[in-house]
């Protein structure tokens, strides 16, 4: 059971890192400010969910 939770955590981190990589790459190529806004929204929602889940 502990291994399953560790695998879930690692897969979640890889998914977030991949989304970050894509959004930053898209911003560099297109210079579209919306990509940075999406990135901020992504990290803001992750932080808010993490804090509300721990409370």
């Amino acid at each position: 059971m502990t291994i399953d939770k560790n695998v879930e955590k690692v897969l979640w981190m890889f998914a977030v890192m991949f989304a970050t990589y894509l959004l930053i790459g898209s911003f560099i190529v297109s210079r579209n400010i919306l990509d940075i806004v999406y990135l901020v929204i992504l990290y803001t929602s992750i932080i808010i969910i993490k804090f509300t889940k721990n409370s």
Side-chain angles (χ1 to χ4, degrees), residues 23 34-49:
L23 286 170
L34 270 177
D35 295 326
I36 297 297
V37 172
Y38 292 146
L39 193 62
V40 168
I41 291 170
L42 172 71
Y43 278 104
T44 304
S45 63
I46 289 172
I47 291 169
I48 289 172
I49 290 169

Side-chain angles (χ1 to χ4, degrees), residues 8-50:
E8 278 183 29
K9 186 182 279 189
V10 168
L11 286 175
W12 175 249
M13 287 183 348
F14 279 140
V16 170
M17 287 179 2
F18 185 66
T20 302
Y21 171 76
L22 289 178
L23 286 170
I24 289 174
S26 178
F27 173 72
I28 290 171
V29 170
S30 68
R31 301 279 190 236
N32 189 356
I33 196 72
L34 270 177
D35 295 326
I36 297 297
V37 172
Y38 292 146
L39 193 62
V40 168
I41 291 170
L42 172 71
Y43 278 104
T44 304
S45 63
I46 289 172
I47 291 169
I48 289 172
I49 290 169
K50 187 168 181 121

